[in-house]
Amino acid sequence: MNRVQLRFLSQADNVGLARLMAAGLAGQGNFTLPDIEEIKVAVSEAVSNAIIHGYDNRPDGWVEVVMELDAQGLTVVVEDWGVGIEDVAQAREPAFSDDPERLGLGFVFMESFMHGLEVASTFGKGTRVRMRRLITEISHDAQ
Ligand SMILES: Nc1ncnc2c1ncn2[C@@H]1O[C@H](COP(=O)(O)OP(=O)(O)OP(=O)(O)O)[C@@H](O)[C@H]1O
Ligand SMILES: [Mg+2]
């Protein structure tokens, strides 16, 4: 088991740091390169949401990413202390966005690339997204 934690200010440049950390930790596990690419996308979407929506693009909010690797998979928690989400079920609907310029696909990517997604949010207090990606065993006996 391994665990890492990264806390950074809500600035777009820091999305890359979170992606690097995810790739590095996932690389210690039995994930394939395509698996790792998908994990990076899911982490980017959650961190971007924290910056863009949680802090409304203000550069001075804290975002925290905690990742835990175990024999079965990788758990990622992304947290912000920003505006929060009033209606989580609505926010998670495909193509829902509070911004007409955006596609509203961030949660869709997280859902499809990870094996579990939980969104906990308190309006006015912040948001915590927890997602888990399992290591899928590849059978080397398969023809
Ligand atoms: N951390 C957050 N804090 C506050 N609101 C959030 C947060 N994450 C998501 N939301 C809300 O949920 C909505 C849906 O998020 P989602 O990532 O699916 O789409 P989007 O960010 O609007 O568009 P896209 O991700 O395609 O650019 C957002 O428009 C926003 O209203
Ligand atoms: Mg988004």
Side-chain angles (χ1 to χ4, degrees):
M1 210 271 266
N2 195 4
R3 192 162 207 255
V4 292
Q5 184 171 5
L6 181 68
R7 224 170 133 86
F8 51 86
L9 289 176
S10 49
Q11 298 170 14
D13 284 347
N14 290 335
V15 176
L17 294 179
R19 288 171 62 94
L20 277 174
M21 186 171 96
L25 188 62
Q28 295 177 10
N30 216 354
F31 288 105
T32 65
L33 289 179
D35 289 345
I36 293 174
E37 284 308 313
E38 293 183 351
I39 291 167
K40 282 162 70 181
V41 172
V43 169
S44 297
E45 292 297 332
V47 171
S48 299
N49 279 352
I51 296 170
I52 295 166
H53 303 294
Y55 294 112
D56 200 15
N57 284 307
R58 277 185 291 108
D60 57 353
W62 284 113
V63 179
E64 186 177 270
V65 182
V66 178
M67 297 184 194
E68 206 170 281
L69 179 72
D70 57 61
Q72 285 76 44
L74 179 76
T75 301
V76 179
V77 177
V78 176
E79 188 160 9
D80 69 67
W81 293 267
V83 295
I85 303 174
E86 197 166 12
D87 184 341
V88 171
Q90 181 191 50
R92 290 180 65 159
E93 273 171 28
F96 174 85
S97 178
D98 59 19
D99 179 349
E101 308 266 288
R102 310 199 76 88
L103 295 173
L105 293 179
F107 280 130
V108 174
F109 280 125
M110 290 181 244
E111 204 131 26
S112 59
F113 288 153
M114 303 299 272
H115 294 111
L117 175 70
E118 295 162 25
V119 183
S121 190
T122 309
F123 195 50
K125 291 224 163 123
T127 301
R128 190 173 65 238
V129 172
R130 182 182 182 278
M131 47 200 175
R132 183 156 166 83
R133 173 74 186 228
L134 298 171
I135 295 166
T136 39
E137 291 298 329
I138 300 160
S139 168
H140 295 287
D141 301 329
Q143 295 240 316

